[in-house]
Amino acid sequence: EYAGTMNASQKAIYVGLLGEYAVALEISDRTGIRVHVDDRLYDGGDRGFDLQVYGLKIDVKNRGGRDFRSRVRVAVGRDKCALSFVENCDAYVFAEWLQSDRVVLLGWVWRKDVKHQPLVEGLGLWWNIVVEDGQLKPMGSLITEIKFRKEIKLGSTGKSWH
């Protein structure tokens, strides 16, 4: 497998991008909306979100399994995800890399719904919020939110207001 030839830093980037592409494909397949994945590397990390669809800023968190540790979150078990607390997104989507270049989308939460949970010290200087799988909403409700935003943006004429 391709990931087996990478160092830890390369693997973290690869796993993150797999999650981002999986979410973009899910949104595209279920809404017909083409979603751009920014795969450029930034010094100090990205803008705090990975995807933006009709104004909804989404940060994708892809956990890599028990033996994998990301620089921006701690893998804390099969029933939990942890996220770095970033104010610049509206929602988090959680995914799990199955180490076979397959990604399972676990669900999503609004940032506002988890931002007051206790902080847990992560790797390096990162602090994280642990989100239990049971807190996640089904991906179908995120798709509904995106479709709603699309309808507001386009209105009944199908033309953008901007």
Side-chain angles (χ1 to χ4, degrees):
E1 293 188 13
Y2 181 65
T5 64
M6 298 178 198
N7 65 37
S9 179
Q10 292 168 326
K11 197 175 202 179
I13 292 167
Y14 177 71
V15 169
L17 283 172
L18 284 176
E20 292 169 27
Y21 276 104
V23 174
L25 285 171
E26 179 78 2
I27 293 170
S28 178
D29 286 350
R30 293 180 68 180
T31 67
I33 299 168
R34 185 173 175 202
V35 181
H36 172 72
V37 175
D38 183 359
D39 58 6
R40 293 175 291 180
L41 298 178
Y42 297 92
D43 288 336
D46 59 25
R47 307 158 292 184
F49 62 94
D50 299 309
L51 309 170
Q52 187 169 2
V53 185
Y54 287 103
L56 181 66
K57 295 178 181 176
I58 300 169
D59 195 12
V60 179
K61 298 298 176 184
N62 193 8
R63 66 185 183 207
R66 304 178 96 191
D67 63 338
F68 177 71
R69 300 292 184 261
S70 166
R71 284 197 249 157
V72 295
R73 71 184 187 285
V74 180
V76 291
R78 305 250 348 135
D79 62 341
K80 296 181 183 179
C81 282
L83 57 100
S84 61
F85 185 61
V86 178
E87 291 281 346
N88 203 25
C89 72
D90 302 306
Y92 297 102
V93 173
F94 293 93
E96 184 169 8
W97 176 51
L98 301 178
Q99 300 188 16
S100 61
D101 296 336
R102 282 191 23 206
V103 174
V104 174
L105 301 182
L106 302 170
W108 73 286
V109 293
W110 290 111
R111 181 187 54 81
K112 66 179 178 63
D113 291 342
V114 297
K115 73 177 190 175
H116 296 298
Q117 293 183 186
L119 294 175
V120 176
E121 189 172 1
L123 299 175
L125 301 174
W126 291 96
W127 285 86
N128 301 281
I129 297 171
V130 175
V131 177
E132 303 282 346
D133 284 359
Q135 292 177 267
L136 302 178
K137 300 173 187 294
M139 288 300 293
S141 63
L142 179 64
I143 299 303
T144 300
E145 174 69 25
I146 290 168
K147 287 178 178 178
F148 176 73
R149 287 169 178 257
K150 178 182 178 183
E151 284 297 315
I152 289 174
K153 175 89 172 172
L154 299 180
S156 60
T157 65
K159 295 181 180 176
S160 176
W161 295 346
H162 295 284

